[in-house]
């Protein structure tokens, strides 16, 4: 094909690299980046190509944001709550304890001002971010013994990271930061008492059901966590407008793709786990109430010294209050009846 | 700009017309088509343009599918359950009583085989369809008197159409087919006893709160209705591959855009309605159970004589059973606690 100069300017050939925070073996969350790259390539007649690297190929998983900000790679696919060490505000754009469920999270980000707050905040860190995946409400994790009271949490060595770990610490848990591949042996040996990961489909792959009997729900620290696609801000600004819209649309499609795919895969995995002897247990109201109280205390503490955090957590909480006011009317009563009548449908 | 022949082939200038089934005044559901057109134009540097017409400008709202199939217009934005008169199978790809909620509907269509069944079915009608909007669970509508028992439904003149009307007829309702603009005067005069429309944001615009006191929930016949973008199949096949992917991605983004936007708008509208005196009422379990029984009877009757319907309703119901098995674990218990603790968050 002979390219004329005028056309070449509006549709240049661009090759970007994307580092994922996930290994290929977690095919759905890692697969999101490949889905994104495929959409972008197809929409631009392969002129805009994004090559996807799994965690560790270019940089370790938790350095994805830094690598993007420094332009080691142009893009990353990661979870913004991994970066709470830089600033706890990062967490709110993905998930915080007792935050929004997946649909509300999308509504807040896309239509309720959340993405505008995120863009303003991410800019300070040299990147722009796009919601690019959601797991839905996660499970609360795998426990070697039952947890019925807050007292049962005391001294419990629980593999859980970030801001959720800080909340649980307030109710007696000893949070453990352990990378994905090291959790299984730690739980098997009893070095830790419990571990949380994602949900039935991903958890089953890591084999936790073989070394812990009780599978708790819900993962109240991840009601609807958003995975983000980050772009180096300068590189983003250099893209032609059409490519920017292509990339934004591809990210938004990946967001719904991942949610739809986890929803498709989780029921069968849950059935296999339960058939294999896994015991499902809900967190008791006592545990949930204590953790909510601890969460509100932590938000007050952080807000007192971090104006960005205060602005964003207040916005999210106001949105949440309105969302659940409405959710409890049509959505929740519909789901309630559907659950009650499930076997007679 | 001087276009070279080779590039012109892969990025031709194309102008399509789209007829919406909705008036401009319903800014969110109508606005979906404008959002779609904007994304497509931006992604193709304005080379692929879709001009949007509101219902009645080219053809009446309920003739959108026919106009697309006959290539009066290349595209439409409509709800496939409007076309149950041609074949009741159309309804299952948008919403049927006691069907999937919005997130499950997306999971089924995108990842669970739903879109493949839809494509096979729509092909027989000369179109290809893309999910392109969702309202979330709708409200059950406006009633001039309270409905507590199945006996209260007997002889009730209720503005409700399509396959949901057939279900309600089995429990004594006299379904009325009335176009949007004519509902208000009919309800005001008492020509009808009740009317359903969408949800707080759209219903408030039509003013039903002024002429009916009781606002029932949930709209169990629309747990998560999908709005579709239909393309004339031949015109679709003539598009370059890149434009096909652009259009498919834009439709998928519009799908989440509309859901996020309704979710953003409904809470404030609900608060205004309740502040103005509207009485919220849940359908009683007796009413829901009777309608579920009627629904299952109707599916058996239609399935006995329509193989397409049987195949698709069986697939949807199997998916629903698995989805709610999982949903009741993490999502539902999370939402339950969030609703209980809403005012303390």
């Amino acid at each position: 094909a002979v390219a004329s100069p005028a056309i070449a300017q509006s549709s240049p050939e661009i090759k970007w690299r994307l580092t994922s925070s996930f290994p290929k073996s977690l095919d759905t969350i890692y697969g999101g980046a490949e889905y994104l790259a495929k959409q972008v390539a197809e929409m631009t007649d392969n002129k805009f190509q994004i090559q996807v690297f799994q965690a560790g190929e270019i940089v370790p998983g938790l350095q994805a944001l830094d690598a993007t900000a420094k332009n080691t790679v142009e893009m990353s696919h990661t979870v913004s709550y991994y970066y709470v060490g830089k600033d706890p505000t990062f967490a709110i754009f993905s998930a915080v304890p007792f935050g929004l469920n997946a649909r509300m999270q999308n509504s807040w980000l896309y239509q309720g001002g959340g993405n505008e707050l995120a863009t303003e905040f991410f800019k300070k860190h040299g990147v722009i971010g796009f919601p690019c995946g959601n797991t839905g409400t996660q499970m609360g994790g795998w426990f070697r013994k039952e947890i019925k009271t807050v007292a049962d949490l005391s001294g419990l060595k629980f593999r859980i990271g970030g801001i959720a770990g800080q909340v649980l610490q307030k109710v007696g848990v000893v949070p453990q930061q352990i990378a994905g591949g090291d959790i299984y042996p730690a739980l098997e040996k009893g070095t830790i008492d419990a571990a949380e990961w994602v949900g039935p489909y991903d958890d089953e792959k890591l084999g936790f059901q073989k070394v812990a009997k009780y599978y708790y729900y819900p993962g109240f620290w991840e009601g609807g966590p958003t995975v983000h696609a980050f772009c180096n801000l300068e590189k983003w600004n250099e893209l032609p407008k059409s490519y920017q819209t292509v990339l934004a649309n591809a990210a938004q499609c990946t967001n719904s793709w991942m949610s739809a795919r986890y929803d498709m895969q989780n029921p069968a995995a849950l059935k296999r786990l339960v058939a294999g002897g896994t015991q499902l247990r809900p967190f008791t109201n006592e545990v949930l109430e204590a953790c909510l109280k601890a969460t509100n205390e932590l938000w007050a503490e952080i807000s007192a010294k971090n104006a960005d955090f205060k602005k964003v957590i207040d916005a999210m909480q106001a949105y949440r209050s309105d969302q659940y006011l409405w959710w409890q009317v049509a959505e929740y009563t519909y789901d309630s009846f559907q659950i009650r009548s499930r076997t007679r449908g």
Side-chain angles (χ1 to χ4, degrees), chain A:
Chain A
V2 180
S4 74
I7 300 259
Q9 277 190 320
S10 67
S11 303
E13 297 215 348
I14 292 181
K15 284 189 201 298
W16 275 14
R17 299 194 307 168
L18 177 153
T19 186
S20 171
S21 283
F22 316 105
K24 278 190 188 171
S25 56
L26 294 176
D27 58 274
T28 308
I29 197 160
Y30 170 82
E34 296 207 319
Y35 182 84
L36 171 87
K38 183 170 183 287
Q39 302 308 311
V40 169
E42 283 189 15
M43 286 194 274
T44 61
D45 266 328
N46 291 312
K47 288 193 192 112
F48 185 6
Q49 293 190 24
I50 299 166
Q51 191 179 0
V52 178
F53 296 88
Q54 68 175 332
E57 283 192 278
I58 299 175
V59 295
L62 301 184
Q63 292 174 26
L65 181 74
D66 280 337
T68 312
K70 290 176 192 159
N71 202 23
T72 306
V73 291
E74 292 86 357
M75 275 191 84
S76 49
H77 193 227
T78 185
V79 185
S80 71
Y81 62 43
Y82 289 157
Y83 309 101
V84 290
K86 294 178 189 298
D87 189 322
T89 312
F90 273 105
I92 313 169
F93 302 114
S94 52
V96 290
F98 305 103
L100 303 164
N101 72 21
R103 212 173 90 188
M104 296 173 188
Q105 176 80 352
N106 287 332
S107 181
W108 179 54
L109 293 174
Y110 290 125
Q111 291 288 327
N115 273 345
E116 286 76 6
L117 290 168
T119 298
E120 186 186 346
F121 175 77
F122 293 149
K123 192 178 183 178
K124 300 181 187 181
H125 295 270
V127 297
I128 184 168
F130 299 91
C132 193
N134 200 303
T135 63
T137 303
Q138 296 195 357
M139 290 293 283
W142 299 84
F143 291 71
R144 289 163 60 100
K145 59 165 193 164
E146 285 190 88
I147 302 294
K148 292 178 177 171
T149 64
V150 174
D152 293 335
L153 294 172
S154 188
L156 190 90
K157 285 176 281 181
F158 184 25
R159 184 272 171 193
I160 185 167
I163 213 156
Q166 292 177 50
V167 165
L168 287 167
Q169 199 163 15
K170 282 180 174 279
V171 293
V173 166
V174 185
Q176 310 284 309
Q177 300 259 16
I178 301 175
D182 300 328
I183 304 173
Y184 182 92
L187 196 56
E188 186 181 28
K189 283 181 210 150
T191 313
I192 57 174
D193 304 304
E196 66 90 39
W197 189 241
V198 178
Y201 181 75
D202 284 343
D203 291 8
E204 185 190 30
K205 289 191 176 195
L206 296 191
F208 299 133
Q209 66 277 10
K210 294 177 223 156
V211 288
K213 184 173 172 186
Y214 301 103
Y215 196 20
Y216 272 83
Y217 65 89
F220 53 83
W221 49 89
E222 305 202 62
T226 296
V227 179
H228 270 86
F230 286 112
C231 302
N232 176 279
L233 192 55
E234 284 183 28
K235 286 289 169 185
W236 166 261
N237 286 331
E238 288 170 12
L239 288 178
K241 172 75 178 157
S242 61
Y243 285 13
Q244 288 183 338
T245 309
V246 161
L247 190 50
N249 270 263
Q252 192 169 339
C253 286
T254 305
N255 196 17
S256 65
W257 175 89
M258 191 186 293
S259 178
R261 195 159 175 86
Y262 269 118
D263 286 346
M264 180 268 284
Q265 292 164 326
N266 277 322
L270 181 70
K271 285 196 271 190
R272 286 191 299 268
L273 291 169
V274 169
T278 289
Q279 300 284 309
L280 292 177
R281 291 286 184 278
F283 285 120
T284 60
N285 203 51
E286 178 187 328
V287 167
L288 292 172
E289 289 285 355
C291 291
L292 174 61
K293 186 166 169 286
T295 298
N296 288 336
E297 284 169 12
L298 185 63
W299 294 173
E301 289 161 23
I302 303 175
S303 292
K305 55 193 177 193
N306 185 326
D308 282 342
F309 186 90
K310 179 169 170 39
K311 181 166 71 172
V312 181
I313 200 82
D314 287 353
M316 186 280 282
Q317 290 189 315
Y319 206 78
R320 182 186 63 186
S321 177
D322 269 7
Q323 286 297 301
Y324 274 110
L325 179 80
W326 160 232
W327 192 271
Q328 70 185 315
V329 177
E331 291 288 339
Y332 186 77
T333 53
Y334 186 71
D335 286 336
S336 298
F337 184 77
Q338 294 287 81
I339 289 168
R340 286 205 303 279
S341 63
R342 190 180 69 85
T343 57
R344 293 176 289 119

